Each structure stands twice: as C-alpha cells, then as structure tokens.
C-alpha cells in the first residue's frame, strides 16, 4: 500500500519547478480560557502577487504539519486546529504548471488521491478544525476549508470560487462531494457550474457567508483576531453553529437538472467537465463521502489526460501570460508619453473610445465631428455614462467631476488637436473618407503625434499612403462593446515606425486591453476568420440548407451565440461590408451572399424576431430568401465550416498575419468570446483532425494544448 507521503514524493519528482508552499504551525492560547490552539499558516514566502498554490511538495508540507497537530490533538495538548493564509491570500488551488507536465493516467490519479488524503485528515482529527478564509480562495484553497468542521470568512475577501469546470476540470479534492452536502445541491450548482461557466465569476466574502459556506463573517482589519474570539466561543459552547438541513429529496434532482440545462446552454455537450461534475453531485445525494472522493479522483485523472483540460490551461496561459508580453512588440522604452488624446468622430463608437481613454489615461480627450450638434451629442453621451458609473458607485463625485472635465468637443481640428499626442479616427468605413480625415489631422497635429485608425477591415498602409509622415500611422482596432471585450488588434502598416508602434502598445496597456500585433492584411485576424466562418454558413443557406440546420451544425463549438445572432449584434450592413472587402481581396474564398444583400437592402436588423422570447426566423426575411436545392446535414455543414476556418488560419499563418497560432487563439478568445475550454479554435481543429485534413499538419506542437508525447 503506497502511503500519502510516498505518493506525493513521486508526484514532486515529476514537477521540479514547483513554487513550494510551507505550512507553518504555531501555538497560541485562545481567549476566554478556551485552551491551547494550533494555527497552520499556508505561505509560499512570496508577496500577494504570487498566490499560494498546492503542488505535490506543498501538499507534503501540509501533511507533515498535520502529523504534528494530529499527535498533539491525540495527546490532549490542543483543543482545536485552525488553517489560514498569508496576507490577502488564503490559497488558490492546485498548481496547474505541474498538471501540464503529466503524461500518464496513474500520475494524474496520484494528484487527485494525494490532495484527498491530505485534506480529509482535517476531518478526522480528535479536535474540531477551523478554516479562516482571510483572502483569495479558489479551487483547492476553497476545498481544504470544506474539510474543516467550521469556517469563517473576511468581508474583505475579493475572490472565492471553484473555477475548475471553467478550465476543463472538476473540483476534485472534495468540492463536488462536500459543497452540496454542506449548502444543498442548488447553491452548490451555482458555485461549481453556473459561476464557473459564467466567465469564472467570483464570490465576495459576504456572499460566501450568505450561501452558508462560512459560519461567520468578520471585517478584514482584525479578521484573524475576531475569528479566534469566535473559535473560543464555539469551543466553550457559548456559540452554537446551526446549519439548515440539506434537502436530499426532489430538490436535489431538480438542482442537477438545472445544472445540466446551464451546461447545455454554455458548452452544448462539447466539453465533458461540467457533466462529470454534475454526475458526482448527483451521486453525492446519499452523503457517502468516500464514494464521492473516489469518483472525484477518477474524474480528475480522466480529465487531466483529456484534451479539454489542456486546452483550458492553454487558454488560461494565453490570457494570463502571452497577453502581457505581446509577440513582436517593439521595446517599450521607445514609447512616447501621451498627455492628450484626440478622437475624430462623435458617433457611438467614437464616444465609447473617448470614455475609455478618459477613464484609463486620465488625460484630456477632445472629440471633433462635422457639426456642433454631433459633437455635443457625443460629449453628452460620455458625461451620461460617467453619471451612470457614479450611480453604481464605481466612481465617487470628485472623480466623476474630474472625468467629465477631461472630455470636451471642438469643431475646429487645429484648436482641438494642436497639442494632442495621440489621435484616433472612428469615422465611416470608407477609404476616401479616412484618407481625407488623416490629411486634415496631419496638417494640425505636432510632429510626434501618433495617428491611429479604428478600421475593422481596410488597409492601414493605403490609408497612410498620401501623408507626409506615413510612419506615424498605426491600426488600433477595438471590438464592440469597447468597455467589455479586451482585444485590441494593433496593426503595423508598411511604413509604421517602432516609436509609433511602441506608443500604441503603451497606450493599449494603459487602457487595460489585450494587444496583439497583426500585419496589415485584409480584416486582420478576428473579422477575417469570423467572415470566413459566417460566409460558409451563409453559403450553405444560399445553396438550400434550412437556416435552423446551418445554425445548429456549429453548436458543438460552444460559441457564445449562434452565427446569425452574432450577425445581428454586428449588424448585417457591417457584415456585408466586411464580406465585400474580403471578396475584393480574396474572391476565390470569400463570397458576398445575395440573401444577406437582400436582408440589408430591406433594412432588416437581422434574420430573427423574438416575439415568443426565443429567436424565430422573421417571416419577412424568410420571404426574401432565395435558396438552391442542395440540402446538407448538420455534420456536413460543420465539416465545411471547420475546413474553411482551418484553411483560412493556415493561410494567415503562412502570410505572417500574426507571429504564431497562439495569437489567433488569443484574438478569438478576447475579441470574439470563443470558448476558453476549447482553447480558442486551433487546439479543437487539431484534436478533431481538421488541421491535418486541410493543411497536412497540426497548428500546435504536441504538448501545447495537448498531453506531452
């Protein structure tokens, strides 16, 4: 029989670079004469920017601490054991860097068993155990506390979650089994499934208490002191902890059904993690913890060896690491300071940009347009949005006044932009209009000013071609809604110089955007892939496949919305314009749908009406559609769409539109909401065999978003 220590030693050898967490034991006398108490503090010796994690050696250290307190408890030397974290951090779960290295099912199983074997010792000590959630707690950090007898939580706790399903795992160190048995299946489903699939939504300390996960809630300033006073009152019998009885009847089954509906709505059966978690929660109804822990071990091992988790970790690394160090960006020391921003245009997009620049850069922002009424409307929009932030408590009155004071409008470009360092245009998507705007701006701005364009598909090189200084023009393409989608495609035109590009990247960082360097190629990255994707859907509809079949065909991709709902969001006229631009550039691959043209000419805002609450094909649109007689199955549609997307990505990589396939995935995840659990798109195309079928090779090397060879 392998001991826990041996199990963890073997796992630690596979992961030599672990950032190791220590488990320090100290003793103190509780207030109210409650007795001697052992407090374990989890700490990796680094500040709060490097959160505490549980790799194999860290678990081994906690195991050694538990050996000590177990003996003390058995000897009657202590009356209880507490566990807490370093300042601002309780613990944020398993160390995913170690998980990536695992190649064998038995090693993955050892990770699950190792965590369970250590954590469940907290429930078997001869004295009560207490978890003090003092700071951020996620995954295994939450679970170690669930094994304790009691829990307290800080009001200042900023983030508490079981994010495993979001990444392609299950809460596998007790979460799926213990949480529903503590707070009931329905609340547990909200935490494990709903929040996780809702972009990894976090709970605050007060919510943790209200859900019944914690038994007491205290202020952050003296959290540990108050928790120890409360602990003493529990141990002396002065405080009795009452928890509502868990409903193990029909309510449990109904909750699991709700969880399945949420999973179906988000991932459409395309990723297994949510369903594995729901199976364990369903089985946990009988309260058999051992059976639940065994099921968690198996699910963890299976998922660790599966492609979805590797894709989830890959996506996580893209967003957390690659996004912070954009491939190909010039040296940041070349960037020039930006002390004033100009925005050409005062329509909705321009106004959203003005608001973002004012909020993030906190420098003066001036809008211009063709008449004063438009300018006034744009400035009023920005001021109105700042008032909304004030009402929501996101800014105080002083900050709101200051931000409003930064945003103004001026009809005269010379007066508006004479001292601007960065001017962005957001006018009509027409080359002649854009060139004229840039000519007018160049005549009045300082020599060092960067001229940026928010074009979604036009050539930045051509836009700059008639200027005296084309080297200072850069593409700066935002995604709508500007406040929500993180991506910013930064386009280097043929003559853009390093200083202008470096300034653009520095501004993007200040705006808190994910910047990706892209070549000046038609429609750049996201719009090119989406237009090819949508174009193929429209082609099969034009040829004769029913709209419902074409839409349903791509459900297994787990996209945030169906293609035609997305078209509605973008606007059919914009979709048509981009497809015409790309058809002009690549007529052999990009088509212009006559049906889409008819929809736009009829002034329709989309293909659907929502009278019943659900999307239904608009009868007026149905009457406009002229279809052929070639009807495809869902599978045939899906193959055609994925083949088209794989072909386009292959060509984009050959053309050097971005540095690597990773940048395509980063763009799709942050700019178009493509599923995190698929790693964007290229890991999915690799896993499904589409990449090799279309391009003759995989997009990613073995071990990147897949199990190492």
């Amino acid at each position: 029989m392998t001991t826990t220590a041996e199990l963890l030693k073997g796992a630690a050898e596979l992961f030599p670079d672990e950032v190791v967490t220590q488990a320090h034991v100290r003793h103190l006398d509780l207030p109210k004469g409650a007795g001697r108490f052992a407090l374990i503090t989890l700490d990796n010796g680094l500040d709060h920017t490097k959160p505490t994690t549980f790799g194999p050696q860290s678990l081994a250290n906690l195991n050694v601490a538990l050996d000590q307190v177990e003996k003390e408890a058995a000897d009657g030397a202590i009356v209880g054991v507490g566990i807490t974290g370093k300042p601002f951090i309780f613990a944020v779960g398993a160390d995913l860097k170690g998980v990536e290295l695992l190649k064998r099912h038995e090693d993955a199983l050892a990770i699950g068993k190792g965590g369970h074997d250590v954590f469940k010792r907290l429930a078997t000590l001869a004295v009560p155990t207490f978890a003090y959630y003092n700071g951020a707690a996620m995954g295994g950090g939450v679970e170690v506390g669930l094994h304790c007898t009691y829990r307290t939580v800080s009001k200042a706790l900023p983030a508490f979650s079981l994010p495993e399903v979001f990444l392609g795992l299950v809460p596998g160190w007790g979460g799926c089994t213990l949480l529903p048995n503590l707070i009931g299946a329905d609340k547990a489903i909200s935490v494990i499934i709903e929040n996780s699939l809702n972009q990894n939504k976090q709970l605050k300390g007060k919510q943790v208490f209200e859900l019944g996960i914690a038994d007491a809630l205290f202020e952050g300033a003296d959290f540990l002191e108050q928790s120890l006073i409360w602990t003493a009152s529990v141990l002396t019998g002065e405080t009795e902890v009452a928890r509502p009885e868990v409903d193990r009847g029909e309510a449990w089954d109904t909750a699991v059904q709700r969880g399945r509906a949420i999973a179906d709505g988000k991932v459409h059966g395309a990723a297994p993690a949510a369903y594995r978690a729901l199976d364990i929660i369903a089985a946990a109804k009988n309260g058999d913890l051992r059976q639940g822990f065994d099921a968690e071990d198996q699910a963890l091992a299976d998922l660790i060896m599966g492609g979805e988790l590797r894709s989830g970790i890959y996506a996580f690394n893209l967003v957390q690491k690659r996004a912070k160090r954009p491939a190909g960006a010039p040296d940041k020391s070349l960037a020039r300071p930006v002390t004033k921003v100009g925005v050409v245009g005062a329509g909705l997009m321009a106004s959203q940009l003005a608001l973002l620049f004012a909020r993030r850069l906190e420098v003066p922002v001036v809008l211009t347009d063709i008449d004063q009424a438009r300018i006034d409307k744009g400035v009023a929009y920005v001021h109105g949005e700042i008032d909304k932030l004030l009402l929501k408590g996101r800014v105080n009155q002083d900050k709101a006044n200051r931000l409003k004071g930064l945003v103004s409008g001026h009809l005269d470009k010379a007066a508006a932009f004479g001292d601007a360092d960065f001017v962005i245009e957001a006018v009509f998507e027409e080359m002649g209009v854009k060139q004229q705007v840039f000519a007018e701006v160049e005549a009045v701005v300082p020599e060092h000013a960067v001229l940026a364009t928010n074009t979604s598909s036009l050539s930045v090189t051509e836009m700059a071609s008639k200027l005296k200084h084309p080297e200072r023009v850069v593409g700066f393409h935002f995604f709508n809604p500007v406040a929500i989608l993180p991506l910013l495609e930064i386009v280097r035109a043929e003559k853009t110089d390093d200083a202008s590009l470096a300034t653009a990247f520095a501004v993007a960082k200040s705006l808190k955007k994910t910047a990706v360097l892209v070549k000046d190629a038609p429609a750049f990255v996201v719009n090119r892939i989406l237009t090819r994707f949508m174009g193929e859907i429209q082609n099969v509809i034009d040829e004769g496949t029913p709209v419902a079949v074409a839409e349903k065909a791509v459900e297994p991709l787990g996209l945030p919305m169906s293609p035609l709902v997305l078209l509605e969001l973008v606007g059919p006229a914009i979709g048509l314009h981009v497809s015409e631009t790309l058809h002009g550039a690549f007529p052999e691959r990009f088509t212009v749908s006559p049906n889409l043209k008819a929809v736009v000419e009829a002034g329709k805002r989309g293909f659907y009406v929502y009278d019943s609450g659900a999307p239904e094909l608009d009868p007026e649109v149905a009457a406009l559609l002229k279809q052929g007689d070639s009807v495809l199955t869902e599978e045939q549609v899906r193959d055609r769409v994925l083949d088209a997307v794989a072909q386009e990505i292959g060509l984009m990589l050959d053309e050097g539109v971005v540095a690597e396939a990773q940048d395509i995935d980063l763009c799709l995840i942050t700019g178009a909401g493509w599923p995190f659990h698929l790693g964007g798109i290229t890991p999915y195309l690799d896993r499904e065999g589409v990449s090799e079928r279309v391009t003759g090779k995989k997009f990613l090397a073995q071990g990147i978003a897949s199990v190492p060879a």
Side-chain angles (χ1 to χ4, degrees):
M1 184 75 179
T2 312
T3 66
T4 302
E6 287 166 343
L7 201 65
L8 293 170
K9 187 171 185 287
E13 283 164 6
L14 296 172
F15 184 21
D17 299 325
E18 176 185 349
V19 176
V20 177
T21 298
Q22 303 297 333
H24 304 291
V25 182
R26 63 187 173 107
H27 295 87
L28 42 99
D29 291 316
L30 288 172
K32 306 180 183 180
R36 193 113 175 108
F37 189 75
L39 181 65
I40 300 170
T41 303
L42 303 168
D43 191 345
N44 60 7
L46 301 165
D47 69 14
H48 67 279
T49 61
K50 294 278 189 297
T52 308
T53 52
F54 290 119
Q57 186 54 53
S58 305
L59 287 172
N61 290 344
L62 178 56
N63 202 40
V64 169
L66 290 169
D67 284 341
Q68 179 187 336
V69 297
E70 183 178 63
K71 186 175 184 309
E72 291 169 353
D75 293 346
I78 52 173
V79 293
V81 174
I83 185 163
T84 193
K86 67 182 185 182
F88 310 110
I89 306 286
F90 182 77
V92 298
D95 193 320
L96 293 175
K97 291 195 294 296
V99 172
E100 278 179 278
L101 302 171
L102 298 175
K103 300 178 186 179
R104 301 183 315 158
H105 194 275
E106 53 264 44
D107 294 332
L109 196 60
I111 288 288
K113 278 189 64 56
H116 271 133
D117 288 351
V118 175
F119 288 2
K120 67 188 182 190
R121 294 183 68 189
L122 285 159
T124 57
L125 295 179
V127 293
T129 49
F130 298 79
Y132 306 133
Y133 290 125
N134 64 303
M138 294 169 208
V142 168
E143 290 170 300
V144 70
L146 294 177
H147 285 269
C148 293
T149 326
Y150 305 101
R151 285 154 295 280
T152 66
V153 67
S154 165
K155 279 185 188 173
L157 181 145
F160 182 103
S161 64
L162 289 169
E164 287 83 354
V165 167
F166 178 64
L167 291 169
L169 274 178
V170 298
W173 284 342
C176 288
T177 305
L178 294 172
L179 191 63
N181 278 294
L182 175 69
I183 62 173
D186 196 62
K187 288 178 180 174
I189 297 270
S190 294
V191 177
I192 294 169
I193 306 294
E194 190 170 18
N195 289 356
S196 211
L197 290 178
N198 190 9
Q199 294 300 315
N200 191 19
K201 184 182 172 192
Q202 301 292 322
L203 298 168
K204 300 272 194 283
K206 186 164 177 277
Q207 294 167 298
V208 174
F209 172 66
E210 286 166 354
L211 281 166
I213 299 171
D215 303 302
L217 176 73
F218 298 114
E219 293 292 346
D222 57 351
F223 170 70
L224 187 58
E225 187 184 339
Q226 291 302 320
S227 291
L228 290 169
I229 293 169
W230 181 83
T231 298
S233 71
V234 170
L235 291 171
T236 58
E238 183 188 327
T239 296
E240 195 176 327
V241 175
R243 295 184 186 132
E245 198 175 329
V246 169
D247 187 334
R248 297 180 187 281
E250 202 180 313
W252 195 290
D253 303 330
T254 305
V256 173
Q257 282 172 346
R258 181 174 81 89
R260 291 195 196 285
I262 292 165
D264 287 343
K266 290 286 187 181
V267 301
H268 307 284
Y275 302 98
R276 289 297 291 266
L278 286 161
D279 289 345
I280 300 168
I281 294 168
K285 181 179 176 180
N286 64 10
D288 184 337
L289 300 187
R290 183 171 175 178
Q291 173 198 316
F293 294 166
D294 288 345
E296 288 175 356
D297 287 342
Q298 280 304 326
L300 267 188
D302 292 347
L303 292 166
I304 285 172
M305 299 315 291
E308 283 81 3
L309 168 69
R310 306 298 172 138
S311 296
I313 295 175
Y314 164 79
F316 184 79
N317 287 337
L318 287 181
V319 171
Q320 295 296 319
K321 295 175 184 169
R322 192 176 183 92
K324 292 177 172 61
R325 289 187 289 278
D331 190 318
K332 55 178 183 271
S333 66
L334 297 170
R336 294 188 285 257
V338 172
T339 59
K340 183 179 180 183
V341 172
V343 181
V344 186
L348 182 60
M349 190 66 178
S351 304
Q352 288 184 69
L353 295 180
L355 175 67
L356 181 71
F357 278 98
R359 280 193 74 193
R360 297 282 184 239
L361 301 187
E362 297 195 18
V363 299
V365 178
V366 189
L367 296 117
T368 66
D369 212 315
I370 52 174
D371 59 53
Q372 192 63 44
R374 289 177 201 226
I375 294 170
D376 293 345
K377 188 179 174 188
V379 173
Y381 169 85
V382 178
H383 286 190
E385 290 300 303
I386 293 167
D387 285 336
K388 285 182 195 170
L389 292 171
L390 177 65
L391 279 172
K392 288 177 188 165
R394 304 270 292 279
V395 295
N396 59 25
Q397 187 67 60
D398 182 46
K399 181 84 178 271
N401 294 344
R402 210 161 61 245
L403 288 175
K404 282 187 190 176
L406 290 173
V407 181
S408 62
H410 212 296
L411 201 51
D412 179 2
K413 286 190 179 68
F417 302 151
D419 55 350
D421 307 301
F422 190 96
V423 178
I424 184 165
E425 69 74 24
V427 299
F428 186 64
E429 197 71 345
E430 221 291 310
M431 183 58 77
V433 176
K434 305 255 192 201
Q435 286 179 330
Q436 184 190 339
V437 160
F438 269 164
E440 290 170 6
V441 171
E442 187 182 46
V444 299
V445 294
E447 273 184 23
H448 67 269
V450 172
L451 306 184
T453 169
N454 184 43
T455 183
S456 59
S457 60
L458 300 177
S459 164
V460 181
T461 301
E462 191 182 337
M463 216 177 286
S465 62
K466 298 182 178 176
L467 298 179
K468 292 191 189 75
H469 295 287
E471 70 278 0
R472 56 176 170 172
V473 177
V474 64
F476 212 63
H477 179 219
F478 289 88
F479 289 79
N480 219 347
V482 170
I484 295 167
L485 289 175
L487 180 64
L488 188 49
E489 290 176 336
I490 296 189
V491 188
R492 179 170 213 154
E494 277 174 26
K495 295 193 174 168
T496 308
D497 64 20
D498 282 353
S500 301
L501 199 61
T503 305
F505 272 99
V507 169
K509 190 175 181 185
S510 299
L511 294 174
K512 298 186 178 168
K513 292 293 178 187
T514 296
V516 176
L517 179 63
V518 304
K519 188 178 166 185
D520 187 18
F524 318 125
V525 177
V526 173
N527 284 342
R528 180 162 162 185
I529 291 171
L530 286 185
T531 304
R532 186 76 199 274
F533 173 79
M534 301 283 285
E536 214 50 54
I537 296 274
Q538 281 159 346
N539 288 343
V540 299
I541 292 171
D542 292 353
E543 290 163 20
T545 299
V547 169
V549 174
E551 287 265 84
K552 202 164 178 351
V554 292
E555 268 190 3
L557 280 170
L559 299 173
M561 60 190 77
S562 75
L564 294 181
V565 173
L566 173 65
L567 182 69
E568 204 168 296
L569 183 74
V570 170
I574 292 172
L576 179 66
H577 177 75
V578 177
S579 68
E580 286 170 341
T581 302
L582 282 160
H583 176 67
F586 310 115
E588 68 289 355
R589 298 195 312 280
F590 288 85
T591 53
V592 177
S593 163
N595 281 319
L596 178 59
K597 216 168 188 173
V599 167
V600 173
E601 282 166 3
K604 303 301 291 183
R605 295 184 60 178
F607 277 64
Y608 293 126
V609 286
Y610 296 86
D611 301 341
S612 67
E616 289 172 9
L617 189 61
D618 183 340
E620 290 177 19
V621 170
L624 292 170
L625 296 182
K626 290 188 170 60
Q627 292 183 280
D629 51 13
S630 170
V631 180
L632 301 184
T633 65
E634 284 178 27
E635 197 175 345
Q636 288 169 322
V637 173
R638 187 159 56 249
D639 283 348
R640 244 181 84 169
V641 171
L642 292 176
D643 284 5
V645 169
Q647 183 194 29
E648 207 55 43
I649 290 170
L651 291 165
M652 289 165 73
L653 292 171
D654 291 345
E655 291 167 26
V657 175
V658 288
E660 289 180 295
Q662 282 91 324
D663 294 312
I664 298 232
D665 292 318
L666 182 57
C667 284
L668 286 173
I669 290 166
T670 57
W674 277 47
F676 210 83
H677 63 265
L678 295 183
I681 185 64
T682 68
Y684 179 78
L685 295 172
D686 283 355
R687 206 164 55 240
E688 296 294 313
V690 181
S691 320
E692 287 178 277
R693 183 170 76 225
V694 175
T695 70
K697 61 182 184 201
K698 289 186 170 179
F699 289 123
L700 300 167
Q702 190 67 34
I704 299 175
S706 55
V707 176

